[in-house]
Amino acid sequence: MKKIIESWANFVVKHRIFVILGTIILVGTLFLPMKGLFFNNSDELWFVTNDPDLVNYRVFKERFGADDYIVVGLEGKKQDKNIFNAETLKVISEISTFLEDHKDIDKVVSISNYQYIHADEDVLQVDRIVPEELEDLSSFQIEEMLQIMQKETIIHDRIIAKDFRHTLILGRLVKISEDNSNYVRLVHDLKKFIADQKYQQKGWIFHYFGNPAVSEALFTLSMHDSNKIHPLMFLMLIILLLLFFRTITGLFMPLIVVAGAIITTFGILGLSGWGLNPLTISLNLLIIAVGIGDAIHIITKFYKFRAQGLESKAAAVESLKHLFIPCFYTSLTTVFGFMAISVSSHIAAIREFGILAMIGITMAFILSVTIMPALLSLIPGKDTGALRIVENSIVTRLTAKLLAFNVKNHKSIIVVALIFILASLLMTTTISLDTGIESYFKPQDKIRMDLDYADKIYKAGSRLEIMLDSGKGNGLKDPDYLNHALEFQNYLEQKIHMGKVNSYLNYLCKMNQTMHNNDPAYYKIPLSSELIAQYLLLYTSSGPNEDLSDLKTFDNRYMRISVNMKMLTSFKTNKEIKAIRDILQKDFKNLNGVVTGTTVLDSGRDKYVLTGLLKSFSLAVILITLCFLVIFRSIKYGILVLLPSLFPIVFAGGIMGISGINLDLPNMIIAAIIFGITVDDSIHFMTHYLNSRRQGDSIEVAIQASIRESGQAIIFTSLILFLSFSILALSAFVPNVHMGVFSALIVLVALFATLILLPAILLGIGKRAQRGCVGVDVE
């Protein structure tokens, strides 16, 4: 193996021009497909094939159309008692008209176009409550509207709040695009229209919620981070590289490796046709974290050889000869870890993430052992900075004192680490595998306040759909079936997290009440099928805006019950869904009910992804452990390398438990990224340690050699990643804040685990070394 590596190092340096040109051509070629990248967030990415929830939702949409609405909540002016005045009603009408004319909307529901059911003698009629002409609205007309609205309980807390100061305007989307682009376009257009009309300056307050509003907020915050936070991270990376190395070489070499690996990965993504998704967009952070480590190790080693008097060519060759194996091991173990994530998951998004991560890590390694030594060998003249970096820097002086500190305090270090590990493990038991869209936003964010408003006023942060099957055509005219359905609907309305329910039953009960002189006692299902059929005919003949086609099917077999629900975490949402499904099976089996809707899909997707990632991450840890055992050919040393790799993650888990932060998708990504970093540091340290022991050195000498050979690069890498990730704490997006804070924390803990805890353990369990090789368990 040594001869192969030596031949490779000499080949790269000898043919450096061809290596550089070949790399430029390869990376440049793969840069072009990046232009074709698109965002793909389709349902198929997050569900296994033929998942029941996904199948049910598709059937639901075929029968009743889309269930996604943009919702505008309007609060009346502070000086107005309610919204029933000409000025406010005109605003509602103008916004409703704007939405009706928008190409992404096919239906609008608001007070301005709402029709109430009433009877003229024996004729059922529907008429507008709010007249089309509002210019000369009289006080008599306003009073008449208020009187009608008081009795129109069918829309109380669904379109208008009981205090009549709050109302909703709902626009149903025609079609949902896979990349959510129509969500963003619609909300941008709506907000621009309201801003152009200067409604808010005149005293009205607006709230936006529903899936389109949430998606637009996520997009806006993501763009903020992409345009401001991520550039700041790269700026911090550049500043730190200049600060540590103070050379053009030290600045550009790591950036070349990282940039080349990122371009290659996303270029291959562009060729694959997969598209970006919420998982793959985090790959750049993974590649930076993993790729920069090997680059800094090689540069630091290169400078050490230059400081010893070697020319650039010889220093580049020697650097590659010394670090090829540890860099290969670090890349191999991380690749195996993400391979486990890819092959163990049935979720397409997770598989794609694992495959692309493997490509990015592999490319970072290839660039580190090709273009880096090729470029380093071209550095001309005497490099006076090399001596300063390897002999006179603060980091060099710090690492020189680490052995003495470890020898003196190794028992205390182990005891303190054990205390932290036990406490962290205890606190991790309080972590919930849970997520919730509202937790993605800060309390002061507009969308978060709007979601809180929706829950407070309407209990409408989200919505469930229940699809009922009467089992036959015209089955929805059977009073027995409908009464049982109404009993189930009443059960839903009584649940603490549920808001207003809308269904075909509401309209049927209202028709019955209307045809009995508006007697509240007759707000119930008509007594016979014939009477139901007659009411439906009368209603249809009146020419209503609401033709009930999105509440029941034309053949009168299927109906839907839409129920508003407070915004809950995935765990609580799944609990509510399970309770509804259980009671449908137990007490309402004849309804043939199916719980569906975007809320069911979202909670199911979160469950799939989180449990899938947790399972895959656990398998990755096992596979990497086996890699350690094979690489170091020793159970003891394999486990020793694993301990400092897991310690930072366990510690972070304890902090999450104390902070009450749930284990969600972004935090699982953090664990995957940081585990790769800590594994790399441990492998570099242990490889140097075992090489020294193989030469017959004592434990203390071997530890000192490891610290001398790898400690400086580990510290450089850790500080760069710590400060770069810390920039994410400035993010407007809560998951990115968590990613920044926890990544920075874990990097520091990993530094402690590698350079202090691992040597302390080696000192604690070791005796006077015997001469041996890697496969010999010397003590």
Side-chain angles (χ1 to χ4, degrees), residues 424-534:
S424 297
L425 287 173
L426 180 64
M427 293 309 303
T428 54
T429 60
T430 65
I431 298 176
S432 298
L433 188 65
D434 201 4
T435 187
I437 193 65
E438 77 282 357
S439 65
Y440 282 23
F441 306 108
K442 296 178 180 179
Q444 66 271 25
D445 286 341
K446 181 68 168 64
I447 184 64
R448 176 66 180 273
M449 292 189 290
D450 288 349
L451 290 172
D452 290 342
Y453 167 85
D455 279 347
K456 179 181 177 182
I457 304 299
Y458 301 99
K459 288 187 178 179
S462 61
R463 186 174 67 255
L464 288 179
E465 301 286 352
I466 296 90
M467 184 168 52
L468 303 184
D469 178 8
S470 67
K472 60 183 179 179
N474 288 320
L476 296 182
K477 295 178 182 179
D478 180 0
D480 290 336
Y481 182 85
L482 295 178
N483 275 308
H484 208 205
L486 185 60
E487 184 182 346
F488 170 68
Q489 180 172 302
N490 292 335
Y491 156 79
L492 292 176
E493 287 189 321
Q494 291 166 10
K495 291 181 71 64
I496 189 170
H497 295 303
M498 300 298 178
K500 192 73 173 185
V501 175
N502 184 41
S503 76
Y504 156 70
L505 304 174
N506 294 352
Y507 285 86
L508 206 54
C509 291
K510 184 64 177 178
M511 293 176 206
N512 194 44
Q513 179 186 357
T514 300
M515 297 303 288
H516 289 85
N517 296 317
N518 277 319
D519 185 349
Y522 283 90
Y523 188 83
K524 59 184 180 181
I525 302 298
L527 294 177
S528 68
S529 298
E530 292 76 16
L531 195 55
I532 292 172
Q534 182 181 351

Side-chain angles (χ1 to χ4, degrees), residues 126-343:
V126 293
D127 284 305
R128 298 170 62 103
I129 295 179
V130 178
E132 293 187 49
E133 293 296 329
L134 298 169
E135 295 298 333
D136 300 315
L137 197 63
S138 67
S139 58
F140 173 78
Q141 288 176 297
I142 291 174
E143 185 60 32
E144 186 179 29
M145 281 189 282
L146 285 170
Q147 289 177 4
I148 295 172
M149 191 59 65
Q150 291 287 353
K151 300 175 183 178
E152 201 65 12
T153 56
I154 192 173
I155 60 168
H156 289 179
D157 292 333
R158 185 170 72 86
I159 297 178
I160 190 166
K162 289 187 178 71
D163 63 2
F164 293 172
R165 282 191 45 79
H166 305 262
T167 189
L168 299 180
I169 305 166
L170 300 93
R172 187 177 68 180
L173 272 75
V174 178
K175 183 182 178 182
I176 306 165
S177 62
E178 290 184 350
D179 61 356
N180 293 345
S181 60
N182 58 341
Y183 281 168
V184 176
R185 177 177 63 241
L186 170 62
V187 177
H188 282 180
D189 291 347
L190 176 61
K191 289 182 176 179
K192 183 178 185 302
F193 172 78
I194 290 175
D196 290 345
Q197 301 303 312
K198 295 182 169 51
Y199 293 143
Q200 290 169 294
Q201 289 93 319
K202 297 174 183 177
W204 292 284
I205 300 173
F206 293 92
H207 306 274
Y208 308 91
F209 48 99
N211 278 345
V214 172
S215 296
E216 187 271 340
L218 290 172
F219 174 81
T220 301
L221 293 177
S222 298
M223 288 300 98
H224 170 271
D225 283 2
S226 296
N227 296 331
K228 294 183 179 180
I229 302 301
H230 291 171
L232 277 177
M233 282 187 66
F234 282 103
L235 179 61
M236 176 62 75
L237 182 63
I238 291 171
I239 291 172
L240 292 172
L241 288 171
L242 280 174
L243 182 64
F244 288 148
F245 292 110
R246 301 183 189 180
T247 63
I248 298 299
T249 304
L251 169 63
F252 282 107
M253 292 301 170
L255 295 180
I256 288 172
V257 170
V258 168
I262 289 174
I263 292 171
T264 303
T265 303
F266 285 94
I268 292 174
L269 175 59
L271 291 173
S272 70
W274 286 340
L276 292 164
N277 64 58
L279 279 178
T280 54
I281 56 177
S282 64
L283 282 169
N284 56 342
L285 297 178
L286 169 66
I287 295 171
I288 290 172
V290 175
I292 202 169
D294 287 346
I296 289 178
H297 275 279
I298 291 173
I299 291 173
T300 306
K301 180 68 73 173
F302 172 80
Y303 279 140
K304 287 183 178 181
F305 283 120
R306 289 299 306 276
Q308 294 172 12
L310 294 182
E311 295 294 328
S312 295
K313 288 183 182 180
V317 169
E318 290 301 316
S319 300
L320 193 52
K321 284 167 57 179
H322 279 74
L323 289 175
F324 187 96
I325 288 295
C327 288
F328 175 74
Y329 285 165
T330 59
S331 301
L332 182 66
T333 51
T334 311
V335 164
F336 273 136
F338 282 101
M339 183 177 69
I341 289 176
S342 178
V343 301

